[in-house]
Amino acid sequence: MYLRISQEKKTEGVETLLNHRNILIEYCTKHGHTFEEFSEVLSGGASDMEQRPQLQRLLDNIERFDGILVIELSRLSRNGLISETVLQYCKDYDKPILTPDKVYDLANSSTDETMYKFGSLIASQEHALIGRRSKNNKISMAKQGLHISGGIPFGYRRNDSTKRLEIFESEAQVVRYIFQLHSEGLGSRKIVDTLNREGYKPQRSEAFQLPTVKRIIQNPAYKGTVVFQDRKRIKENGKFVFKIVNTIESHDAHEPIISVDQWDNANRERAIRADQARVYRDKPAPKTGTTMLKDLLYCGLCGRKLVIRKELNGTYSIKPCEYQLPNSAEKCTNNGIKLEYIEADIIDALKAHEEQMQHELSLLEQQDLSSIESDLKEKLAHIDIQIAENQRQQTALIDLAVSGIFTHDELKVKRQALIDMGQALEQSRDKLIEQSESINVTSHIERMSQVFKLLNGFESLPVEAQNRALKQFIKKIHFTRNMPLEIRMLSTRNQIRREFPYDLSIEYF
């Protein structure tokens, strides 16, 4: 948490805040923490205010405080955009930033503002340098075959002295058993069932799950290989994503649990099975045919997609879910039902949804969003000013270099920090533009009109057309019918079982 002081009456001023610092140091000592640890928790290099909820909370309530107390500026933020945001709030609300060495009166002293900006620039560049050094260190460790970071694979332990993985035999036996079952033709699901039935357990759970077994089979660590993927954050189709730019592999890095041939054969077989399963999934279903709710029904207990089957009499029903419950060896107990009941309820729900959208549409047409739009425009204008100031500072660096105020190395550091801040400001600007587009009333009205068009005469459409229409505005339909064991044991003709209730929840786009 941040070191900050809240008072009902803001009359005591800066001297009282500095006195409170001594009280906080005494509090930290009493509870076994250093003052630096206490101020460390939420500081650092997060690149987005969404990753700093407590700092955002502080800024949202800044009028309640006399100032912000922090051990040093880098503890407040090491990201240029966040530092500029804090600066603007402190100037707007006339709040100082207090450190043990200096009080930054940002609203009234241009000298303090300049010192704050340069301090923030250095902190931002220092964070970037730490990140690059960390990545270079990981690359170096990967080339040497050392365990880099992250979770230690099941079946291994990390030797802190050598920084290499060493076999943990009791778990390694389970890994070998998994590969043995896979070589015998069992798929990942059957392997999970076998492990749980025979009482095997992973490190941090009560039962093996499907993703765990799949990760074990695909992890090259089990054949003695260390892999590091160097990723770069880039913007693609309007969004920031991480792309792999380089993959480093170190073979014979540690003692393998599985031989190279066995691992390669298992993963070759896994790829073949996946291709066959994909072909099977993509094949049309001449026996089952298309139903109104095809590919839309999901289990309300375990979250998996439900299967619709065609009975011998030509009717359709939802097949009982038989997947494994999350973090448990137990099978899902969600029961099935005749599909016609669900389809009737969905049609009723669509009618209610259409009425609700009509109501929302009338409200949208009457709603005045000018104040929100004005606020976003003001924020955009402020960001544009910051971008222009950033560019001005980059230009000014050239004059400073010519005049000899900074050395070549100092100039490189400051220039890189300004570039990083400029990129962060551009990201913030893009986000504000996205927010402006999201409150566009016209786009909401157009989307609703499209749904109205899809629902017009919906019941008279062929089932294929109904299914296509629903998929355009419904993401998932969650179905839950969790029968107790004593009711599941009853005959399917039993009235209590036939009339056992169910729940439906529709997740719209």
Side-chain angles (χ1 to χ4, degrees):
M1 60 182 291
Y2 277 96
L3 299 174
R4 56 187 187 272
I5 311 298
S6 173
Q7 301 172 14
E8 293 294 326
K9 298 180 180 179
K10 302 176 181 179
T11 56
E12 295 181 281
V14 169
E15 291 183 3
T16 301
L17 287 175
L18 290 174
N19 290 335
H20 279 13
R21 175 180 177 273
N22 295 327
I23 297 174
L24 287 171
I25 292 175
E26 183 179 340
Y27 172 87
C28 292
T29 304
K30 180 180 178 181
H31 289 80
H33 302 290
T34 66
F35 184 54
E36 290 80 0
E37 287 174 340
F38 198 53
S39 64
E40 170 79 24
V41 179
L42 289 180
S43 66
S47 60
D48 198 317
M49 284 297 289
E50 292 178 0
Q51 301 172 18
R52 307 286 300 280
Q54 294 302 324
L55 176 58
Q56 185 62 64
R57 181 183 173 193
L58 168 64
L59 297 180
D60 289 342
N61 296 277
I62 196 170
E63 68 277 3
R64 297 172 47 208
F65 309 126
D66 285 335
I68 301 175
L69 181 63
V70 66
I71 189 66
E72 60 182 39
L73 290 181
S74 65
R75 298 296 89 205
L76 190 62
S77 173
R78 288 178 294 193
N79 173 266
L81 177 58
I82 295 178
S83 296
E84 285 291 320
T85 302
V86 173
L87 169 64
Q88 194 60 45
Y89 269 86
C90 289
K91 290 172 64 176
D92 291 344
Y93 290 91
D94 194 6
K95 306 296 181 184
I97 294 177
L98 299 91
T99 71
D101 303 318
K102 179 175 175 55
V103 175
Y104 294 86
D105 186 5
L106 302 175
N108 304 299
S109 172
S110 59
T111 302
D112 285 354
E113 181 180 350
T114 301
M115 292 182 67
Y116 171 86
K117 285 184 175 180
F118 273 110
S120 299
L121 283 172
I122 297 301
S124 176
Q125 180 62 14
E126 180 186 19
H127 175 68
L129 288 172
I130 291 173
R132 283 195 287 272
R133 288 170 185 161
S134 176
K135 178 178 285 189
N136 290 336
N137 184 49
K138 289 179 179 179
I139 291 174
S140 175
M141 291 179 68
K143 290 179 178 178
Q144 298 176 58
L146 307 180
H147 181 258
I148 303 164
S149 61
I152 299 171
F154 180 77
Y156 282 105
R157 293 293 184 269
R158 185 178 189 268
N159 187 314
D160 292 334
S161 299
T162 63
K163 298 180 182 178
R164 294 185 184 274
L165 295 178
E166 296 180 350
I167 292 178
F168 188 67
E169 189 56 40
S170 61
E171 293 178 357
Q173 292 176 3
V174 182
V175 174
R176 297 187 189 100
Y177 188 35
I178 289 172
F179 276 85
Q180 176 192 330
L181 293 173
H182 190 274
S183 66
E184 293 173 358
L186 272 67
S188 298
R189 167 53 56 193
K190 291 185 178 180
I191 293 175
V192 169
D193 292 342
T194 302
L195 294 174
N196 291 330
R197 184 174 61 251
E198 296 180 6
Y200 294 102
K201 292 185 179 181
Q203 285 180 348
R204 300 179 183 87
S205 179
E206 289 300 311
F208 276 94
Q209 300 286 326
L210 190 61
T212 306
V213 169
K214 287 184 175 181
R215 282 196 297 267
I216 287 176
I217 294 173
Q218 297 176 52
N219 193 340
Y222 294 111
K223 62 175 179 176
T225 301
V226 167
V227 177
F228 175 74
Q229 293 179 329
D230 185 9
R231 301 186 304 165
K232 185 178 181 181
R233 187 170 181 259
I234 63 172
K235 196 168 187 179
E236 191 175 83
N237 299 324
K239 294 183 179 180
F240 285 97
V241 295
F242 286 95
K243 288 287 187 179
I244 298 173
V245 296
N246 188 23
T247 299
I248 298 169
E249 292 188 4
S250 179
H251 303 288
D252 300 322
H254 50 261
E255 186 179 357
I257 294 177
I258 303 299
S259 70
V260 174
D261 288 342
Q262 188 180 0
W263 190 92
D264 289 343
N265 290 337
N267 280 272
R268 190 181 303 111
E269 179 64 24
R270 179 192 58 79
I272 293 172
R273 294 178 190 177
D275 289 340
Q276 292 174 342
R278 190 177 300 112
V279 170
Y280 177 77
R281 285 194 296 268
D282 293 341
K283 286 174 62 179
K287 292 183 179 180
T288 304
T290 300
T291 61
M292 186 180 87
L293 303 181
K294 182 179 182 293
D295 299 325
L296 287 171
L297 288 170
Y298 287 79
C299 177
L301 295 180
C302 69
R304 271 50 170 236
K305 184 185 288 188
L306 293 172
V307 176
I308 298 174
R309 65 184 177 191
K310 190 173 184 179
E311 307 293 349
L312 295 176
N313 60 5
T315 62
Y316 290 91
S317 64
I318 300 173
K319 186 179 177 181
C321 185
E322 297 177 348
Y323 285 102
Q324 184 180 351
L325 290 173
N327 300 318
S328 171
E330 300 295 325
K331 289 292 186 68
C332 184
T333 56
N334 203 10
N335 237 64
I337 198 171
K338 286 187 177 180
L339 186 63
E340 60 184 283
Y341 300 142
I342 308 302
E343 289 178 335
D345 284 346
I346 293 299
I347 289 175
D348 291 341
L350 291 177
K351 292 176 181 177
H353 181 62
E354 186 174 11
E355 292 178 2
Q356 177 65 25
M357 284 199 304
Q358 291 284 6
H359 177 67
E360 291 177 4
L361 181 60
S362 63
L363 292 177
L364 271 178
E365 292 172 340
Q366 301 170 19
Q367 191 173 8
D368 181 15
L369 298 177
S370 58
S371 60
I372 300 177
E373 293 173 348
S374 175
D375 182 55
L376 286 172
K377 287 180 180 178
E378 185 178 336
K379 289 181 178 179
L380 270 172
H382 177 64
I383 288 290
D384 288 336
I385 292 172
Q386 289 180 298
I387 291 174
E389 173 63 18
N390 180 270
Q391 293 171 347
R392 186 195 67 76
Q393 290 182 21
Q394 291 191 46
T395 304
L397 278 180
I398 299 175
D399 297 332
L400 293 172
V402 173
S403 60
I405 294 177
F406 295 128
T407 66
H408 179 70
D409 290 339
E410 289 175 333
L411 187 67
K412 283 178 61 179
V413 169
K414 295 181 185 299
R415 182 176 180 277
Q416 185 59 50
L418 284 169
I419 291 173
D420 292 342
M421 183 185 294
Q423 292 175 346
L425 287 168
E426 291 290 348
Q427 294 173 20
S428 180
R429 189 177 188 278
D430 291 342
K431 185 171 290 186
L432 286 172
I433 292 174
E434 289 179 7
Q435 291 177 4
S436 299
E437 293 172 350
S438 68
I439 65 165
N440 190 312
V441 176
T442 304
S443 65
H444 285 297
I445 293 175
E446 289 176 353
R447 181 178 59 83
M448 288 185 177
S449 299
Q450 178 65 21
V451 176
F452 292 145
K453 188 182 297 184
L454 292 169
L455 291 176
N456 184 30
F458 178 82
E459 293 183 65
S460 61
L461 294 173
V463 290
E464 293 84 357
Q466 289 180 336
N467 184 249
R468 287 195 300 270
L470 292 181
K471 287 178 179 177
Q472 293 188 50
F473 62 94
I474 291 180
K475 186 177 182 180
K476 292 180 180 180
I477 299 172
H478 301 277
F479 168 80
T480 307
R481 194 174 186 229
N482 190 17
M483 289 183 181
L485 179 61
E486 60 270 18
I487 294 181
R488 293 206 310 271
M489 296 299 292
L490 298 174
S491 167
T492 55
R493 298 181 180 181
N494 185 282
Q495 185 176 0
I496 296 177
R497 175 174 175 144
R498 284 205 324 267
E499 297 178 359
F500 192 86
Y502 57 84
D503 292 320
L504 284 177
S505 174
I506 302 177
E507 186 178 342
Y508 297 97
F509 284 112

